[in-house]
Amino acid sequence: MPELIDLLRQNAPVARVAEYLDGLTHDERLRALSTTTRADQRALYNAASAAPALTLDFFVPSGTPRRVAVHHKGRNSLPLPSPLRFFEKRFALPEDGSARLFGYNEGLTRSWIGPGFFVAVPTAGNLAWQERGAVVIDYFQVPDGPVPDGWPRVVPNSKGLQSVVYDGTRDFMRRVSKDVSIGAAFKGEKALDHYFTLCREPGGA
C-alpha cells in the first residue's frame, strides 16, 4: 500500500488521498500527516481544490453543544524544530447562534507567543476567498462572546509576540477527507506559501 507522501508526490487525486486517510486509524492518520513536507502540504492543498466544500460543521459536528470545544490536531510547514510544528486548533460554537465558530491555537508555543484567537466563517459571497477555501480562519477577528470554560483569556492578536504570527493573518481551509483538512496561510491578501494539516479528534475533543 502506498504511503501518503507517495500519493502526494504522484499527484494522486484528492479522492484517492481521502480514501487512504479514511482507511487509517486516528493515530495512523496523525503519523502519516506528520511525514509531510511543505512541498507535500502545498500539493495537498492544491489537490484539495477538487474536494467537496467545507462547512462549519466539519470543524464542530452537528449536535455539539455550544461552548463545547472540538480539537483538531495540527502540523504546520514553518521552518521550526519538529516539536514546535505540532499544535491544536480548538473550535466551538458561540452562544449567539451565529454562523461562525470561535477558536484559538494550543501548543508548546502558546506560553510565549500567545493563544492566537480567531473566528472561523464561510467564505461564500467573496469570490476571491471562495477560490482559496470554503471556510476562513480569520485572525482579524477574535471572539466577542463567551468561550468554553478553561480556554485562555481572549486577547487581540495585536498584543505581544503573537502579533508577529497571527495579526493580519487568515487561513483558508479545504477538505481532504472525513476528518482531515488543509489550510493555507495568507497575510492580508498575500499568500505566504505556508500550510498546515488538521485532523479532528475522535468524539469531538
Side-chain angles (χ1 to χ4, degrees), residues 8-187:
L8 295 175
R9 294 172 189 180
Q10 294 163 9
N11 296 315
V14 69
R16 176 68 186 93
V17 176
E19 179 185 31
Y20 171 77
L21 290 171
D22 288 343
L24 302 178
T25 67
H26 177 67
D27 287 343
E28 288 170 342
R29 270 192 292 277
L30 292 177
R31 284 196 293 273
L33 294 169
S34 76
T35 66
T36 54
T37 65
R38 179 166 68 165
D40 295 329
Q41 291 190 1
R42 183 191 301 118
L44 183 56
Y45 177 76
N46 290 334
S49 64
L54 283 171
T55 55
L56 293 179
D57 62 8
F58 177 90
F59 297 100
V60 177
S62 178
T64 304
R66 300 192 179 280
R67 293 181 58 208
V68 170
V70 178
H71 299 182
H72 292 242
K73 297 280 191 182
R75 183 177 180 277
N76 64 45
S77 63
L78 294 171
L80 297 169
S82 182
L84 300 183
R85 294 184 183 182
F86 293 91
F87 64 97
E88 290 183 5
K89 287 193 188 297
R90 297 181 175 179
F91 299 84
L93 290 164
E95 284 188 344
D96 64 9
S98 54
R100 56 185 182 152
L101 302 173
F102 291 164
Y104 82 99
N105 292 268
E106 182 59 71
L108 293 176
T109 63
R110 179 167 75 83
S111 62
W112 50 283
I113 290 180
F117 275 97
F118 58 80
V119 176
V121 294
T123 59
N126 184 320
L127 294 180
W129 287 12
Q130 285 176 217
E131 292 182 357
R132 301 172 191 168
V135 170
V136 58
I137 292 172
D138 191 349
Y139 294 98
F140 284 76
Q141 305 180 58
V142 298
D144 57 4
V147 298
D149 295 340
W151 278 19
R153 181 173 61 88
V154 177
V155 293
N157 290 315
S158 57
K159 181 177 180 180
L161 283 177
Q162 68 181 354
S163 63
V164 178
V165 178
Y166 301 115
D167 196 31
T169 301
R170 295 183 178 97
D171 298 328
F172 290 88
M173 305 302 302
R174 291 174 174 173
R175 182 193 305 267
V176 175
S177 68
K178 181 171 65 71
D179 299 300
V180 176
S181 58
I182 179 85
F186 282 67
K187 199 76 167 178

